[in-house]
Amino acid sequence: MKTLFCHLLLIILILFKTVSYGQSNYADSMQRVINTSKNDSIKGISALKLAFHYVFNDSAKARAQIDFAMKLAREKHIPYIEVNAISLTGIFYDVQGMGDSAYAYFKKGLEVNKRYGFADMEVRLLNNLGMYSWNSGKLLEAQSYFFQALEKNPLVKDSLKRQDESTMLSNIGLIYQEQELYEKALEYHHKALSLRRQRKINIAIPTSLNNIGICYSHLDSVDKAIATYKEAMEIARKNKNERTLLDIKSNLASAYTMKGMHKESLQLHLEILEAHKTMQMQDKTIMNNEAQTAGNYIMMRDYKKAWIHMNKALKILEEKPDLKFYASSVYNFASALYYINNEPEKGLKYSLTWQELYEEEAKEGNLKKMSELEVQYETKKKEATIAAQQARIAEDQRLLAQRNMWIILTIAFALLGLISIYILQNRKRVRIEKEEERKINSAIFESEQKERIRIARDLHDSIGQKLSVMKMLMSLEHDEENKAKVVRYLDEAVTEVRTISHNLIPEVLNFGLVSALEDIADRINSTENIHVDFKADEQLQKTALNRQTELSLYRIIQEILANIIKHAQTNKILIEMKMQPQFLQIDIQDNGIGFSSNTIDESQGLGWKNIFARIKLINGDLKIQSDRGKGSHFFINIPIA
C-alpha cells in the first residue's frame, strides 16, 4: 500500500497540469505531440507523461518512452528531463518488483541532480528513497530521507512543484508508530493534521485523525481515542471515503472493546461485514472481523451467534492457510469458545497452534520480542477464564462455574508448564548449539595443528635431510659424481616442495573448481578399480566462486570421496553439480554397501568433523541418505547469492 502511495505522490514528477487517465485517446494525443512538436522539452515531457501512463499496464511501451526521453535529454542537453527520466526509471523498476534497481536509480538521480541543483527533483527523489527504505523495513534510513525532504521542500520556489509536507509529516509519524514511539508519532500526526485542516485537504484529514486515535489507544488514552475516531468517521462520511471509514470503524471497535463496550464494538464489526457485500476486502480483513465479532458475542454470552461467526473465520483460515500469521484473534476466540463448550482439548490445541506459529514466525525473522509471547499467553488465559466463568454462571450458577474454573485453571497451569518446558528446552538447545560450535572449532584447530605438524615433519625429515646431504656434498671435492648427487637431491627437494604446496592449495584450483574436480575424477578412474562419472552444467563453468568457497568445496568433496573409497566397497561414483537461482547444488552417490548415518555422530575421527566444519564456514548445508546395502547419497547446497 505504501508503494502505491509513493507512486501517487510521484505523479507531479512529470506533470505540470492534471491529466485524466480515463480518456481513451490520451495515449494517442501524447504520441501526436511527441511526433509533431518542434520543441524538444515538450517532446521529452510528453514522452515521460506517456511512459507514466504505460508504467502500470504495458512495461515494454513504458520502457521505450523512458529510453526515448533519456536519449533526447542527453542529445539535446536538457538536464531537467534527464533527471526526471532517471527518477521515472526508478518508479518503473519499483512497479516491476525490482526494488534494488529502483533504489539504485533513485540514488543515481540524486547524484546527477547535484550537478544541476533542481530543488524540486531533489525533494522528490529523497521522498522516493524514503518510501523505498520504509517498504524495505529500514525505518531509521526512511526517517532520515523524509527529514531531508522536509528540510529541502521550502527551497522549491515554484509552489506547484513542492511536495505535500503533510504527507511527509504523516509518514514520519507512521514510522515512529512502527517503532512504538507513540508520543513522537502523535507530535508529527498533529502537525500533519494541522496542515491538512489549514489547506482543507479534506480527503486526508480522516487518515490523520485515525492515526492519532491509534496512538492514543496505545498510550492508554482510550477516551481520547474514541472521540478522535468519531470525529474522523464524521468527516470520512461527508467526503464519502468508504475505505478509510471502514479502517476507522475497525479501530473504534477495538477501542470500544478496551472499554468493555462490547455492544457498541459488535455493531461496528457487523457494519464492516455488511459492507463486504458491496465492497471488495482482503481475506484477512474479513477473517479477523468475523473472529472479533465472535469475540463480542462471547463477551455478551451469546455463544450460538459467536459460533456462527467463528466458523466463518475458521473456514477462511482453512481455505487460505497462508493467513495463519494474521489470525491471532481467530485462534484466541476459537480457544475460548472450546473452553466454554467444555472441550478443553480443542481449546488447548488452538492455544498451542498459535504458540507454534509464533515460534515459526520467529524463525523467519517476523517475531519481534519473546516478551510478546508471554503477554499474548497471559491475554489468552484471561480471556478464556472470563469467558468460561460467564458461561458457567449463566448455565448453572455457582457450582457449575466453580467446576469449570478448576478445568480452566488446570489447563492454564498445563499451558504454563508447557511454556516453561519450551523455555528450558530452548536454553538447552542453545547450550547444545554452543557446545557443537565449540567442538567444530576445536576440530578445525586440531586439524590445522595436525596439518602443520605433518608439513613440519615433511620439511624436516625429507627436505631438511636432503639439504643437509647437499651441504655435505658441496663441502667435498667437486667431482662429477658429487655434482650428479647434488642435482638429484635438488630435483627431489623441488618435487617434494611442490607436493607439500599442492596439498596446501592444489595448483589445479587455479583453473577453477570444475577442472580441479575433473582432475580428482581422472586420478580415481586411472586406478581402474572405481569409475567416477563427473557432471557439471555449463552455467557453473561460467560462474566464478570466491577462492575460499572453491577451496572448501574441493576439500569437502575430496574428503567424502576418500571415505567412499575407503569404506563403501563401491565400483561406481556419480558426482553432479548444478547451478540453481540462489545456490549451488552438489549430489554425490555411490552403489556401495552403505552405512548407518548415526555412525557419523558417533565417529571420533576428524574426517567428518572437518567436512561439517568446512560446510559451516561457507554457510552451506549437507544432508546424507544411506542404508546398509543400498549405497549412499550426499546432498550439498551452498548459497551463491
Side-chain angles (χ1 to χ4, degrees):
M1 192 168 191
K2 290 183 280 186
T3 304
L4 178 58
F5 192 51
C6 173
H7 295 149
L8 293 175
L9 288 175
L10 287 168
I11 292 176
I12 57 175
L13 173 74
I14 56 174
L15 298 178
F16 297 117
K17 62 181 179 180
T18 303
V19 177
S20 175
Y21 290 99
Q23 298 174 351
S24 60
N25 63 347
Y26 175 77
D28 292 337
S29 66
M30 284 293 100
Q31 192 62 57
R32 279 196 298 273
V33 173
I34 296 168
N35 294 338
T36 60
S37 177
K38 296 181 180 180
N39 186 306
D40 292 326
S41 293
I42 293 176
K43 276 188 176 184
I45 290 171
S46 299
L48 291 174
K49 288 180 182 179
L50 188 53
F52 194 85
H53 174 74
Y54 283 133
V55 78
F56 297 100
N57 50 51
D58 194 327
S59 60
K61 290 182 179 179
R63 186 73 222 206
Q65 294 297 335
I66 293 171
D67 292 343
F68 171 79
M70 182 72 76
K71 182 179 179 183
L72 181 68
R74 288 173 176 169
E75 287 180 353
K76 303 298 182 179
H77 305 291
I78 312 174
Y80 191 75
I81 292 179
E82 179 185 357
V83 178
N84 269 278
I86 294 171
S87 182
L88 185 53
T89 304
I91 298 173
F92 171 84
Y93 281 123
D94 195 19
V95 172
Q96 298 300 314
M98 301 168 67
D100 291 343
S101 297
Y103 178 77
Y105 271 92
F106 292 146
K107 291 288 284 186
K108 180 181 178 181
L110 271 183
E111 289 299 315
V112 173
N113 194 59
K114 284 180 182 178
R115 300 200 297 265
Y116 307 120
F118 299 123
D120 61 316
M121 289 306 306
E122 183 177 8
V123 172
R124 288 166 190 156
L125 286 161
L126 286 169
N127 194 56
N128 292 349
L129 286 164
M131 294 303 298
Y132 171 84
S133 300
W134 189 5
N135 290 330
S136 302
K138 302 171 184 176
L139 301 184
L140 295 179
E141 190 174 322
Q143 273 187 328
S144 173
Y145 284 126
F146 285 139
F147 277 125
Q148 290 179 63
L150 202 58
E151 180 185 353
K152 301 284 185 181
N153 205 40
L155 302 178
V156 180
K157 295 180 181 179
D158 187 345
S159 60
L160 295 176
K161 293 183 180 181
R162 287 190 197 129
Q163 290 283 294
D164 176 18
E165 290 184 7
S166 70
T167 299
M168 288 186 272
L169 290 166
S170 180
N171 288 342
I172 292 170
L174 288 169
I175 292 174
Y176 276 126
Q177 273 182 229
E178 289 195 31
Q179 295 172 297
E180 299 182 2
L181 301 172
Y182 297 108
E183 290 182 353
K184 289 293 292 182
L186 268 177
E187 176 186 341
Y188 283 90
H189 287 317
H190 276 301
K191 288 180 180 179
L193 178 62
S194 177
L195 273 178
R196 286 169 174 175
R197 280 180 165 157
Q198 178 185 336
R199 297 172 183 174
K200 297 182 179 179
I201 311 175
N202 294 329
I203 196 169
I205 290 173
T207 301
S208 285
L209 289 168
N210 191 34
N211 292 332
I212 289 169
I214 293 170
C215 292
Y216 280 142
S217 293
H218 284 285
L219 291 170
D220 295 327
S221 300
V222 184
D223 291 332
K224 283 186 178 181
I226 291 173
T228 305
Y229 290 139
K230 286 182 176 179
E231 181 185 357
M233 284 176 63
E234 184 179 351
I235 298 171
R237 281 196 185 100
K238 286 180 180 178
N239 289 282
K240 298 181 179 180
N241 192 340
E242 296 299 326
R243 184 66 62 182
T244 301
L245 183 61
L246 289 179
D247 290 339
I248 299 167
K249 282 184 178 181
S250 179
N251 290 329
L252 178 56
S254 297
Y256 279 145
T257 300
M258 293 172 70
K259 289 283 290 184
M261 301 167 67
H262 303 297
K263 185 177 180 180
E264 292 82 354
S265 176
L266 173 63
Q267 179 61 36
L268 289 170
H269 283 307
L270 290 174
E271 288 177 12
I272 294 170
L273 291 174
E274 182 66 22
H276 171 53
K277 296 177 181 178
T278 56
M279 183 183 299
Q280 188 173 1
M281 296 182 193
Q282 291 183 322
D283 290 327
K284 69 177 180 181
T285 301
I286 303 166
M287 177 185 71
N288 280 310
N289 271 282
E290 293 285 6
Q292 288 157 5
T293 302
N296 289 138
Y297 279 123
I298 289 171
M299 295 306 174
M300 295 168 67
R301 291 183 288 182
D302 190 339
Y303 306 118
K304 184 176 180 180
K305 289 182 179 177
W307 272 116
I308 292 172
H309 289 277
M310 179 50 63
N311 285 330
K312 291 179 180 179
L314 290 170
K315 183 179 179 182
I316 294 172
L317 183 57
E318 181 182 353
E319 293 173 351
K320 308 281 185 179
D322 290 343
L323 297 177
K324 59 186 178 182
F325 292 118
Y326 303 99
S328 61
S329 58
V330 180
Y331 289 106
N332 287 334
F333 291 124
S335 175
L337 276 172
Y338 277 117
Y339 288 145
I340 292 166
N341 207 41
N342 204 19
E343 297 182 78
E345 296 85 358
K346 291 184 179 179
L348 178 61
K349 172 190 171 184
Y350 276 97
S351 290
L352 293 179
T353 299
W354 177 238
Q355 290 178 37
E356 289 170 3
L357 290 173
Y358 236 52
E359 293 167 12
E360 182 180 342
E361 192 175 15
K363 293 175 184 176
E364 297 175 359
N366 297 322
L367 189 63
K368 293 179 181 178
K369 298 173 184 177
M370 190 62 188
S371 60
E372 290 180 4
L373 179 61
E374 299 171 355
V375 172
Q376 188 189 41
Y377 161 70
E378 292 297 331
T379 302
K380 284 191 287 188
K381 185 174 69 173
K382 290 174 184 176
E383 288 173 351
T385 303
I386 292 169
Q389 285 175 333
Q390 291 174 341
R392 290 306 171 225
I393 289 171
E395 291 176 11
D396 202 329
Q397 298 300 323
R398 183 178 62 83
L399 291 176
L400 291 178
Q402 193 174 51
R403 185 191 69 176
N404 194 65
M405 176 66 71
W406 283 110
I407 294 172
I408 297 300
L409 286 174
T410 302
I411 294 170
F413 281 117
L415 286 173
L416 185 61
L418 288 170
I419 290 177
S420 300
I421 291 170
Y422 165 77
I423 293 171
L424 290 172
Q425 287 179 340
N426 191 53
R427 289 178 179 172
K428 182 179 179 181
R429 179 179 57 78
V430 171
R431 286 198 302 271
I432 291 171
E433 286 178 355
K434 287 184 177 178
E435 177 63 20
E436 186 64 27
E437 186 174 352
R438 185 194 65 77
K439 288 179 179 178
I440 288 172
N441 290 334
S442 175
I444 293 172
F445 177 77
E446 187 177 347
S447 175
E448 289 176 346
Q449 288 297 99
K450 287 196 172 186
E451 184 69 6
R452 291 189 182 100
I453 292 170
R454 186 187 64 76
I455 293 169
R457 187 183 299 115
D458 287 346
L459 291 171
H460 178 271
D461 294 349
S462 181
I463 297 173
Q465 289 181 9
K466 285 181 172 62
L467 291 174
S468 296
V469 172
M470 282 188 282
K471 181 179 178 182
M472 180 187 71
L473 291 171
M474 292 293 286
S475 66
L476 300 175
E477 293 183 10
H478 299 289
D479 58 21
E480 291 302 322
E481 184 178 351
N482 281 343
K483 286 181 182 179
K485 288 180 180 179
V486 169
V487 170
R488 187 175 74 253
Y489 281 122
L490 276 172
D491 288 339
E492 291 175 0
V494 168
T495 299
E496 293 195 19
V497 168
R498 284 177 178 167
T499 301
I500 294 169
S501 174
H502 179 80
N503 287 334
L504 290 172
I505 301 179
E507 291 181 7
V508 73
L509 270 178
N510 292 328
F511 301 100
L513 179 62
V514 172
S515 296
L517 294 176
E518 286 175 342
D519 180 65
I520 291 179
D522 289 342
R523 283 190 278 116
I524 296 173
N525 288 336
S526 67
T527 65
E528 299 183 356
N529 294 322
I530 299 175
H531 176 72
V532 178
D533 186 7
F534 177 76
K535 300 177 181 178
D537 61 25
E538 293 183 4
Q539 186 181 354
L540 175 60
Q541 299 182 38
K542 299 175 183 178
T543 303
L545 303 175
N546 66 57
R547 192 67 167 171
Q548 176 63 47
T549 301
E550 284 191 340
L551 181 57
S552 296
L553 281 174
Y554 181 83
R555 293 302 189 201
I556 290 164
I557 295 170
Q558 189 180 46
E559 189 74 40
I560 290 174
L561 291 175
N563 277 322
I564 292 173
I565 293 169
K566 185 176 180 181
H567 302 292
Q569 299 180 26
T570 183
N571 60 9
K572 185 176 181 180
I573 300 173
L574 172 62
I575 305 172
E576 286 188 291
M577 302 179 71
K578 297 178 182 177
M579 290 293 294
Q580 303 297 342
Q582 294 182 339
F583 60 90
L584 168 60
Q585 177 182 307
I586 303 171
D587 292 348
I588 303 174
Q589 302 179 53
D590 68 63
N591 63 349
I593 61 174
F595 64 96
S596 172
S597 57
N598 294 333
T599 58
I600 294 175
D601 299 328
E602 299 167 1
S603 173
Q604 300 300 314
L606 287 175
W608 283 111
K609 291 180 181 177
N610 282 337
I611 289 171
F612 284 108
R614 292 185 187 277
I615 285 284
K616 186 171 183 179
L617 279 175
I618 54 178
N619 299 316
D621 178 58
L622 170 61
K623 289 184 173 59
I624 302 169
Q625 290 182 356
S626 183
D627 292 308
R628 295 198 179 277
K630 296 183 180 180
S632 303
H633 198 162
F634 305 85
F635 303 91
I636 303 172
N637 288 327
I638 305 298
I640 57 174

